């Protein structure tokens, strides 16, 4: 049975990353906790930060007896791209995974992918 008070998977990670993106400096776990809505335990926030660190989504630097955290990716789009690459790297059939992914794209998304591929193949493209 679903508990209506329980957050969806990834929701806390997204909220923590949003807090880090909004900050102008690295934040400690208690500072992240204070910036989040609701009443999360400091240990919950620390666990989420540790998981994000293990995934490579945040960086941490020693600050006193603890750590201060900053986002390792610049925005939500970069985070999504990182997750997509992780999934591709995890699977054994990369061409098959890509083929299935592409087969489920909308016509608009397919057009965007084609334009991006064409731009990346253009030698005049500054990227």
């Amino acid at each position: 049975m679903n508990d209506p008070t329980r957050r969806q998977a990834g929701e806390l990670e997204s909220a923590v990353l949003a807090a880090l993106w909004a900050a102008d400096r690295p934040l400690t776990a208690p500072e992240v906790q204070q910036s989040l809505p609701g009443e999360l335990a400091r240990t919950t926030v620390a666990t989420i930060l540790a998981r994000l660190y293990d995934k490579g989504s945040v960086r941490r630097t020693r600050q006193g007896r603890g750590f201060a955290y900053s986002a390792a990716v610049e925005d939500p789009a970069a985070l999504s791209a990182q997750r997509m690459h992780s999934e591709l790297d995890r699977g054994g059939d990369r061409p098959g995974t890509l083929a299935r992914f592409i087969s489920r794209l909308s016509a608009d998304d397919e057009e965007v992918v084609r334009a991006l591929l064409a731009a990346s193949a253009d030698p005049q493209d500054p990227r």
Side-chain angles (χ1 to χ4, degrees), residues 1-8 11:
M1 213 175 254
N2 288 342
D3 180 357
T5 61
R6 193 160 170 87
R7 291 180 174 83
Q8 297 241 345
E11 188 178 327

Side-chain angles (χ1 to χ4, degrees), residues 10 13 48-58 82-83 86:
E13 288 184 1
I48 295 300
L49 286 164
R51 288 180 183 163
L52 288 168
Y53 177 77
D54 290 343
K55 293 177 182 180
S57 299
V58 299
Q82 178 188 44
R83 288 176 177 163
S86 293

Side-chain angles (χ1 to χ4, degrees), residues 102-123:
I102 289 170
S103 72
R104 296 190 60 197
L105 291 176
S106 69
D108 290 342
D109 287 343
E110 197 173 312
E111 197 173 309
V112 169
V113 169
R114 287 180 195 280
L116 290 169
L117 288 171
S120 70
D122 182 356

Side-chain angles (χ1 to χ4, degrees), residues 64-105:
R65 292 180 11 198
F67 294 100
Y69 296 86
S70 59
V73 293
E74 58 272 10
D75 57 34
L79 178 63
S80 293
Q82 178 188 44
R83 288 176 177 163
M84 291 167 72
H85 281 286
S86 293
E87 287 300 318
L88 278 173
D89 293 343
R90 201 172 304 152
D93 181 11
R94 194 176 187 96
T97 301
L98 286 168
R100 289 180 189 264
F101 177 77
I102 289 170
S103 72
R104 296 190 60 197
L105 291 176

